[in-house]
Amino acid sequence: MAMFEKILKRVLLAAVSLFAIITITFFLMNIIPGDPFMSEKATEETRAILIAKYGLDKPLIVQYGRYLQNLFHGDMGTSYVLQKGRAISTIVTESFAVSVRLGLKALIAAILIGVPLGCIAGLFKGKAADGAIRVISAIGISIPGYVLAAVLMLVLAVNLKALPVSYGKPGGEVMPIIVLAVYPTCYLMRLTRASILEVLGQDYLKTERARGMGEGRVIFIHALKNSLIPIITYLGPLTASILTGGFVAESVFNVPGLGRYFVNAISARDYTLIMGVTVFYAALIITMNLICDILYQVVDPRIQMA
Amino acid sequence: MIRKGLLNVLACTVAAAMIAALPAAAAETEKEAPSGGISISVTDGSEDAMDINTAKVATLAGMSVCRHLFEGLYKLDEKGDLVPGQLKDEKVSDDGKTYTFTLRDDITWSDGKPVTAGDFVYGWKYLKDSAGDYSTLLDLITDATAKDDKTLVVTLAYPCAYFHSLLAFPSAYPVREDIVKANGDSYATDPDKAVYNGPYELTDWTHQQSMTLTKRTDYYDADKITVDNISWELMSDSATMANSFKSGDVIYSDTYPEEDADSLMDNGLHFEEGYNTYCTMFNLGDSGNEVLKDARVRKALSLAIDRERVISIRGLQDELADTYTPGGLTDADGTEFNSTVTPWFSDDHQKDVDEAKELMKEAGYEDGKDFPALRYIVNNDSRKTVAEAIVSDWKDALGIDSITVETVENFFSARESGDFDIAYFGWYMDYPDISNMLVTMTTGQNDAKYSNTKYDDAYNKAVAETDEKARWKDYDECESILAEDRPITPILHSKNSYLFDDTNYDGLVYYCGNAFFGYVTQK
Amino acid sequence: MKNILSLQLPVEKGDYDKLPADFYKTQTSQTDEIGFWRSSWRRLRENKIAMVSLVIILAIIVFAVLGPILSPYSYDQQVHGDENLWPCLKHPFGTDRLGRDLMVRCMTGTRISLLVGVVSAIIVMIIGSIYGAISGLLGGKADTIMMRIVDIIYSVPEILLIVVIKLVIDQPLTNLVDNVPFFHPLQKLGSGLIAIFIVYGCLYWVGMARIVRGQVLQLKEMEYVTASDALGAPNGWLIRQHLLPNCMGQIIATMMMQIPSAIFTEAFLSFLGIGVSAPMASLGSLTSEALSGINRAPYRMLFPAVLISLIILAFNLFGDGLRDALDPKMKKR
């Protein structure tokens, strides 16, 4: 019962957070100089007509009220610039589907490679395997994504012609997945290693050992289970950020995903799209965090929910 | 709340699919008839450049798509010349102001309805109402009436030599009133809602990824169209586009990284004359630095630019700009207009530099002493490189080292609102008439906030002038006034360039930055 | 990147109550400041990886600080006729399209990138530790509200915030720099770079705030703090005298990790085209400029990319070592 109440409270707080984010973004976005109808050839008059047509000449607070009202009725409006006239909800769901397809693969790759390697490094601290894994992971988190993407493109697609240049051709998913997965994989290695070491050093494990519990059992029953906590904490935001796609991977490999909109919509001052993407992303992150918190409870009921 | 939105969308999509089901099924059977044409993939523009609303389309890539899907009174033939399109017969009154157009009998929209004179009248009205970038293009038309379904009478404010070019422009295409009324503006984002009167119809639009254009067999001139299917890939990154071209995924790309020009020169890179001028703009408005209001300083800055070096750094076969107006425009006698105007620069760059130094001394900034800090804004890396070369010239020649270059993301809005001292400015002409170039420097039309009544008078006189000789003289005066005031300084006239696989293909039509692929054949 | 880099490994929310029972004793026995720093330094010296990283960091700093002074070229000097040169004797890193020596540009770029890293880290440390300490000390409702704000900032898409804040503050900032004589020296850097500091300060303190709050909550329970509190010591005094010094280890280690994260962010912003003003260079702007010419001149990408990776690598590894050395728990292993 207490558990249910806690979760309910947490959900309510999440809703408040979402509302706050919508409000902040709406007003921030409108402070940026410029409007959606700027171009080399546009004239003052034509812009004024369009601004009036979309109601952007009304006071900000009126626009805000109307946006909330429409949002409440499930209407996120239509895009002004990037996909002129299309409904935001269609754009977001369509491109999110693409990002998810890539993101899930990258996420699974990161977990399947990162966590086991991190465990190995932790359990064999100071050995050659540990050294190698630490070096690899350190390098992996040190390369900017766009450098990696450009080098992959140059080597694999242009010179070796092993993979197609852009998404949508057979094999076109491979490079974006690599670019998406490298950082989280390496980070997971480091995280898992640190977490395992931390748990292994704790007193109660020493006690277990002293009690004569086998090393294998110590590792599998206690160490691994307890070292999961920081990993789960990390997986929440990671999942959200990976699912919404990487701007770099998506723009370099021409993936029609959600990640590109984060930046492109702002550049184009496509107000409704900026809002749509933000609302969607914030809702996603908040939900992920919520799930993490609940998972925590399952893994370790001692932890208090924030 | 998102879910409810989704349901709405779903409902709309289902409804649209049902409405579209009948004609779509018809199209299905047509597609099966083999016409022996080829299929090609091209890339030209990104998602946000695409708009199949002819009244609003404002990008070259978007217009290229429109030229495939729609057709105006005039069109481009396989040689790239203007020929009658939907038009059977044209009569012009003696004063050159009234045109009577008779439409072809065999022209239809993709849903089977005939194209009528009323579609043109509505299209032009819709153009004005929709406030797109080109909504004023047809302002010279004072009256357009559909006498009957096939007869269109048009009255112009003044005789216009380039009227046919205008009529071939996507903004002048016909629009179906019933489609717009039924779907609103969104008809142009959904291939199932739009109807087409050109050689192709849009059969699929996977947003952000590709558009599929399929040949219409009921197009009157279908025999001449050799390409059955065009897969139009939507990309935004120039390196990705060039790499797709190199790997053979696409046979045409309108963009490539400038720096790859060298290596692409013998591998598909083509240059075409374009009516483009690449300039540097000074802010003469209140928000610009005081120092730029001094004409001597502007002239000195302008003269000190080593334009030859800029061109060699770009490596794109640009031509040196000695005037604002690009080459290729001929005056009443048929001589190149450019060659008759006084150039802005001398042939000897060193002489210009010496004059610039002298001017700076007069203005009180000898060797750049006490020259204020200025901000030079550009909108991409390539223009940043040019700007940096220019700033370095100013440093070397005039001793000014207080100018920084910034790539600003909100470039056009920053420039329009005057949030700059110096900025990139470029203009490409949409149709080869000089008024299209010189109008940009009239009062209220330019971001430099340049305003000179003498210039405005000369320009207005020129446009209304009926005597051709006198008109060119007025244009000449415009150019001279501009050279004296220098709110901008021309640097180079760039060419249009694109990648086309001409070892395996032939027959690309390229016109003022627009590409038409319908006549492409395999070698 | 916020989500990833500012999550610190051992102490997470809710993690503190799992610390060993004797933790506080170890900690109090080391309130003797000198002894603490001395033993930390000893532990650090024993850590080979950390020491190698430290040497690399120092070498890079020397490269960045002394390099431009010794180089025959300046970062914005365009040597006419030397355009697009591959690495050679005259220009060891080659030259760019404008004939500028890339080695001196890399040196200057490293300066800027390090500056971005260090200044941002300091801003983050100041805002984050003060916010975290206050939140932890006040506790109760205030703590909940303050942490809720942190959560909200955490959930806004960071790219969106960075770009929006950057755009919003850009113009006022330019005016400020242009009109106030005090800021004139900053003109060369351009408002873009200053905007990055502000963006960084506004956004990335949340990770630091969480960590410091966690530490404060632990320390608050310790007897001598409770005692001082009971004796009526004001909160400010508590923070200064007991809490901050005891959190120093964590704070410094976290700060060390913020440096590479800030350099990463700057590089990403350069990729978006909103970094430093030209002709000034940062490692981020050098790599992103090299992108368009990567087919023709890969060397232009190679050097700044290697430098950026090396800096991030070295700071990460050194930060790891530093945290181990400053965290007394590790001694027991």
Side-chain angles (χ1 to χ4, degrees):
Chain A
M1 184 223 61
M3 179 100 144
F4 177 76
E5 229 167 61
K6 272 181 196 165
I7 291 176
L8 191 72
K9 202 175 148 198
R10 196 74 181 74
V11 171
L12 275 178
L13 279 172
V16 173
S17 301
L18 189 61
F19 176 75
I21 290 166
I22 293 174
T23 311
I24 295 172
T25 316
F26 189 90
F27 288 99
L28 263 185
M29 167 182 94
N30 276 289
I31 308 174
I32 315 177
D35 63 61
F37 311 111
M38 285 284 183
S39 79
E40 180 81 271
K41 303 236 164 182
T43 62
E44 296 269 354
E45 301 85 57
T46 57
R47 272 184 46 230
I49 295 173
L50 290 173
I51 287 172
K53 179 177 168 193
Y54 288 104
L56 301 180
D57 52 346
K58 303 245 163 50
L60 211 51
I61 193 77
V62 176
Q63 291 183 40
Y64 173 68
R66 211 179 44 189
Y67 184 80
L68 281 187
Q69 198 183 356
N70 289 340
L71 189 67
F72 196 71
H73 291 106
D75 176 12
M76 299 169 92
T78 56
S79 163
Y80 298 154
V81 190
L82 291 183
Q83 295 194 12
K84 294 168 205 71
R86 291 191 83 213
I88 299 295
S89 44
T90 322
I91 298 175
V92 170
T93 40
E94 224 176 56
S95 45
F96 182 62
V98 175
S99 290
V100 166
R101 262 180 44 200
L102 283 186
L104 277 184
K105 287 174 194 167
L107 188 67
I108 291 169
I111 295 174
L112 287 185
I113 300 171
V115 175
L117 285 183
C119 284
I120 293 173
L123 296 176
F124 299 96
K125 186 182 179 232
K127 304 271 167 52
D130 179 33
I133 290 170
R134 286 185 79 182
V135 170
I136 292 171
S137 63
I139 293 173
I141 61 166
S142 309
I143 303 174
Y146 61 89
V147 174
L148 183 68
V151 171
L152 280 181
M153 168 87 93
L154 186 67
V155 175
L156 293 181
V158 179
N159 287 339
L160 297 179
K161 294 201 192 307
L163 291 168
V165 174
S166 77
Y167 182 83
K169 305 267 175 340
E173 285 192 341
V174 178
M175 287 193 289
I177 290 178
I178 296 177
V179 172
L180 279 177
V182 163
Y183 192 96
T185 308
C186 296
Y187 195 83
L188 273 176
M189 284 187 208
R190 288 162 62 87
L191 190 64
T192 315
R193 178 181 177 277
S195 180
I196 291 259
L197 285 182
E198 165 126 0
V199 175
L200 283 181
Q202 278 181 11
D203 290 341
Y204 73 97
L205 282 191
K206 288 181 188 158
T207 325
E208 294 286 337
R209 279 202 196 93
R211 272 203 210 142
M213 196 188 221
E215 188 65 25
R217 286 194 65 186
V218 170
I219 289 168
F220 280 103
I221 295 188
H222 295 285
L224 281 188
K225 192 184 155 206
N226 283 323
S227 51
L228 274 180
I229 290 165
I231 296 170
I232 290 176
T233 318
Y234 173 58
L235 282 181
L238 172 69
T239 312
S241 81
I242 229 176
L243 289 188
T244 47
F247 175 76
V248 172
E250 292 188 354
S251 40
V252 173
F253 299 109
N254 206 41
V255 179
L258 192 62
R260 279 154 78 172
Y261 285 122
F262 279 111
V263 178
N264 293 347
I266 303 174
S267 303
R269 306 287 182 275
D270 200 339
Y271 293 144
T272 43
L273 190 55
I274 300 177
M275 285 310 291
V277 173
T278 313
V279 170
F280 182 79
Y281 181 89
L284 192 73
I285 284 204
I286 289 172
T287 318
M288 287 295 168
N289 285 342
L290 205 62
I291 294 173
C292 274
D293 280 348
I294 296 168
L295 268 183
Y296 260 155
Q297 295 281 320
V298 179
V299 177
D300 188 351
R302 282 175 305 162
I303 295 173
Q304 293 289 309
M305 269 209 237
Chain B
M1 23 193 174
I2 295 171
R3 234 179 89 210
K4 203 171 162 197
L6 282 184
L7 281 180
N8 286 345
V9 171
L10 209 67
C12 285
T13 322
V14 170
M18 277 158 66
I19 294 165
L22 281 175
E28 236 19 84
T29 50
E30 280 163 17
K31 245 186 276 169
E32 281 163 22
S35 60
I38 56 170
S39 295
I40 56 170
S41 284
V42 299
T43 177
D44 186 355
S46 56
E47 173 76 31
D48 52 322
M50 287 306 150
D51 197 342
I52 58 169
N53 183 335
T54 51
K56 285 188 180 169
V57 65
T59 60
L60 292 173
M63 288 187 204
S64 292
V65 170
C66 287
R67 285 183 190 275
H68 290 79
L69 299 175
F70 308 98
E71 191 175 288
L73 291 170
Y74 278 81
K75 67 167 180 180
L76 301 171
D77 70 358
E78 51 272 53
K79 291 196 281 302
D81 294 330
L82 289 178
V83 294
Q86 307 274 296
L87 184 68
K88 187 166 76 182
D89 184 48
E90 172 190 282
K91 283 198 181 68
V92 193
S93 66
D94 289 341
D95 64 357
K97 284 188 182 172
T98 308
Y99 285 71
T100 308
F101 298 111
T102 312
L103 302 186
R104 292 179 69 108
D105 301 317
D106 50 359
I107 45 175
T108 55
W109 291 93
S110 53
D111 62 354
K113 290 197 179 163
V115 181
T116 66
D119 294 336
F120 282 92
V121 175
Y122 178 73
W124 298 346
K125 184 182 164 294
Y126 183 57
L127 173 70
K128 260 195 156 163
D129 294 345
S130 59
D133 285 1
Y134 290 98
S135 56
T136 55
L137 188 84
L138 297 179
D139 276 2
L140 80 164
I141 298 180
T142 50
D143 182 55
T145 328
K147 268 211 157 152
D148 56 57
D149 270 2
K150 291 290 169 193
T151 315
L152 181 63
V153 181
V154 176
T155 319
L156 304 185
Y158 47 89
C160 177
Y162 54 94
F163 190 47
H164 289 169
S165 322
L166 293 185
L167 291 176
F169 208 75
S171 312
Y173 288 176
V175 176
R176 273 270 292 280
E177 188 169 4
D178 54 330
I179 301 289
V180 175
K181 288 268 152 68
N183 301 297
D185 286 347
S186 72
Y187 83 87
T189 60
D190 187 343
D192 295 332
K193 288 180 189 160
V195 290
Y196 318 95
N197 74 327
Y200 288 88
E201 61 186 322
L202 186 60
T203 41
D204 180 59
W205 186 350
T206 309
H207 288 274
Q208 275 204 308
Q209 202 171 346
S210 69
M211 295 168 110
T212 307
L213 279 62
T214 310
K215 177 176 161 182
R216 280 179 60 205
T217 42
D218 54 346
Y219 174 66
Y220 67 90
D221 218 3
D223 291 351
K224 284 210 180 123
I225 302 294
T226 49
V227 177
D228 280 356
N229 296 294
I230 305 173
S231 167
W232 202 292
E233 310 284 333
L234 305 173
M235 302 186 191
S236 51
D237 187 88
S238 63
T240 312
M241 296 167 100
N243 289 335
S244 298
F245 176 79
K246 282 188 223 162
S247 66
D249 290 352
V250 296
I251 66 161
Y252 173 93
S253 167
D254 70 323
T255 318
Y256 55 92
E258 249 172 45
E259 294 197 54
D260 285 358
D262 270 351
S263 65
L264 289 165
M265 209 60 91
D266 300 320
N267 295 303
L269 179 58
H270 294 257
F271 287 98
E272 300 266 347
E273 287 306 329
Y275 300 100
N276 311 317
T277 306
Y278 188 121
C279 309
T280 293
M281 173 178 269
F282 303 113
N283 186 352
L284 310 187
D286 296 336
S287 53
N289 196 295
E290 264 322 292
V291 74
L292 293 173
K293 297 195 174 74
D294 187 336
R296 289 170 301 189
V297 171
R298 293 199 301 272
K299 191 160 185 193
L301 292 176
S302 164
L303 290 174
I305 299 172
D306 186 350
R307 291 162 303 140
E308 301 263 14
R309 180 159 184 265
V310 171
I311 290 173
S312 90
I313 287 168
R314 270 166 57 96
L316 295 175
Q317 305 196 349
D318 307 307
E319 277 160 30
L320 205 61
D322 279 330
T323 52
Y324 177 51
T325 315
L329 298 167
T330 47
D331 65 11
D333 313 327
T335 35
E336 177 103 343
F337 173 68
N338 263 3
S339 61
T340 64
V341 249
T342 341
W344 295 38
F345 306 92
S346 77
D347 289 337
D348 179 8
H349 180 57
Q350 194 49 47
K351 224 173 89 193
D352 281 348
V353 170
D354 292 340
E355 192 187 339
K357 281 182 181 157
E358 202 52 46
L359 285 165
M360 284 300 272
K361 204 168 148 188
E362 277 174 37
Y365 300 104
E366 195 175 5
D367 292 326
K369 214 167 131 308
D370 299 328
F371 200 80
L374 299 181
R375 193 156 159 261
Y376 188 158
I377 63 166
V378 290
N379 56 349
N380 61 36
D381 270 356
S382 140
R383 283 160 193 168
K384 185 173 148 196
T385 305
V386 171
E388 286 184 89
I390 292 173
V391 167
S392 140
D393 288 338
W394 289 335
K395 188 178 172 187
D396 295 346
L398 307 176
I400 301 171
D401 66 348
S402 51
I403 301 179
T404 51
V405 179
E406 219 174 298
T407 316
V408 294
E409 177 274 341
N410 51 334
F411 179 77
F412 290 112
S413 107
R415 202 179 67 189
E416 170 153 345
S417 58
D419 184 16
F420 72 102
D421 297 309
I422 305 170
Y424 158 77
F425 170 72
W427 193 257
Y428 60 88
M429 287 165 67
D430 301 305
Y431 46 90
D433 187 78
I434 187 168
S435 64
N436 186 230
M437 196 77 203
L438 293 176
V439 69
T440 53
M441 287 299 136
T442 51
T443 302
Q445 292 286 324
N446 64 80
D447 292 342
K449 304 283 182 291
Y450 169 65
S451 170
N452 184 339
T453 42
K454 264 163 57 195
Y455 182 89
D456 293 351
D457 291 347
Y459 175 80
N460 291 332
K461 221 173 110 206
V463 177
E465 186 63 70
T466 45
D467 177 51
E468 238 195 306
K469 264 216 160 95
R471 183 162 65 222
W472 283 104
K473 225 178 131 257
D474 292 332
Y475 283 138
D476 197 320
E477 198 186 334
C478 286
E479 184 82 38
S480 311
I481 297 171
L482 213 54
E484 208 44 57
D485 292 343
R486 299 207 189 203
I488 48 154
T489 177
I491 293 164
L492 52 93
H493 299 305
S494 60
K495 287 188 173 153
N496 291 330
S497 59
Y498 57 88
L499 303 173
F500 179 63
D501 179 7
D502 56 355
T503 43
N504 298 310
Y505 295 91
D506 218 347
L508 173 75
V509 174
Y510 191 84
Y511 172 84
C512 285
N514 289 216
F516 184 79
F517 303 108
Y519 305 123
V520 167
T521 52
Q522 213 150 5
K523 271 188 185 167
Chain C
M1 268 173 278
K2 167 183 68 184
N3 301 330
I4 296 166
L5 282 177
S6 50
L7 273 174
Q8 291 306 319
L9 306 186
V11 179
E12 247 315 307
K13 55 174 172 181
D15 209 3
Y16 47 84
D17 53 2
K18 297 191 282 74
L19 290 171
D22 61 352
F23 174 74
Y24 304 125
K25 280 184 199 133
T26 346
Q27 188 92 345
T28 28
S29 69
Q30 276 171 349
T31 39
D32 171 10
E33 290 264 320
I34 302 160
F36 171 70
W37 293 113
R38 194 172 285 161
S39 60
S40 299
W41 173 237
R42 201 193 58 235
R43 280 194 296 271
L44 188 64
R45 255 186 335 202
E46 284 163 8
N47 187 337
K48 271 192 215 118
I49 295 180
M51 289 318 284
V52 171
S53 307
L54 183 62
V55 170
I56 292 176
I57 292 172
L58 292 175
I60 289 175
I61 291 175
V62 170
F63 173 80
V65 175
L66 292 183
I69 302 170
L70 299 176
S71 169
Y73 308 102
S74 74
Y75 70 92
D76 63 345
Q77 183 184 353
Q78 303 182 5
V79 186
H80 292 222
D82 279 4
E83 287 90 359
N84 295 313
L85 288 184
W86 279 70
C88 56
L89 268 182
K90 198 174 166 202
H91 303 285
F93 287 8
T95 60
D96 65 7
R97 292 177 80 187
L98 294 164
R100 292 179 297 202
D101 180 64
L102 277 177
M103 187 154 99
V104 70
R105 282 183 73 71
C106 280
M107 292 164 172
T108 317
T110 309
R111 264 189 195 182
I112 298 292
S113 289
L114 286 176
L115 186 75
V116 169
V118 172
V119 174
S120 307
I122 291 173
I123 295 175
V124 163
M125 182 193 83
I126 294 172
I127 302 181
S129 45
I130 292 177
Y131 191 94
I134 292 176
S135 175
L137 262 186
L138 291 178
K141 275 253 161 60
D143 182 37
T144 315
I145 292 170
M146 286 176 86
M147 282 299 116
R148 184 68 15 208
I149 294 172
V150 166
D151 282 353
I152 289 175
I153 293 177
Y154 227 75
S155 335
V156 183
E158 64 202 293
I159 298 179
L160 197 80
L161 262 190
I162 293 178
V163 180
V164 169
I165 294 181
K166 164 82 177 61
L167 292 177
V168 169
I169 60 180
D170 210 18
Q171 204 179 336
L173 217 59
T174 312
N175 294 341
L176 189 75
V177 171
D178 284 351
N179 299 331
V180 182
F182 176 75
F183 292 113
H184 280 175
L186 295 174
Q187 261 163 353
K188 272 264 154 63
L189 294 178
S191 61
L193 200 66
I194 305 163
I196 292 175
F197 295 147
I198 296 181
V199 166
Y200 211 87
C202 288
L203 275 185
Y204 287 67
W205 54 269
V206 287
M208 180 67 95
R210 279 186 170 178
I211 290 164
V212 172
R213 172 180 168 270
Q215 292 273 308
V216 168
L217 284 182
Q218 289 167 29
L219 292 167
K220 228 168 99 174
E221 304 305 317
M222 285 162 60
E223 281 149 21
Y224 71 98
V225 176
T226 328
S228 317
D229 198 23
L231 291 171
N235 273 349
W237 184 85
L238 268 180
I239 292 177
R240 270 199 313 279
Q241 283 298 311
H242 293 298
L243 300 179
L244 284 185
N246 277 301
C247 300
M248 242 13 223
Q250 268 287 336
I251 291 176
I252 289 176
T254 311
M255 216 180 104
M256 218 29 107
M257 306 298 236
Q258 294 290 349
I259 293 176
S261 146
I263 293 175
F264 239 55
T265 309
E266 193 277 329
F268 181 72
L269 286 177
S270 294
F271 176 70
L272 298 183
I274 46 180
V276 291
S277 296
M280 192 49 86
S282 72
L283 290 177
S285 75
L286 286 172
T287 41
S288 64
E289 274 166 26
L291 275 179
S292 64
I294 191 166
N295 288 331
R296 187 175 74 168
Y299 62 91
R300 273 167 43 195
M301 170 68 93
L302 180 73
F303 296 104
V306 166
L307 271 171
I308 219 173
S309 301
L310 208 58
I311 293 177
I312 291 171
L313 190 67
F315 270 103
N316 271 327
L317 294 178
F318 181 67
D320 270 358
L322 199 63
R323 195 187 44 230
D324 289 358
L326 291 171
D327 192 342
K329 279 185 297 173
M330 308 298 269
K331 213 173 60 168
K332 292 183 293 168
R333 276 182 211 148

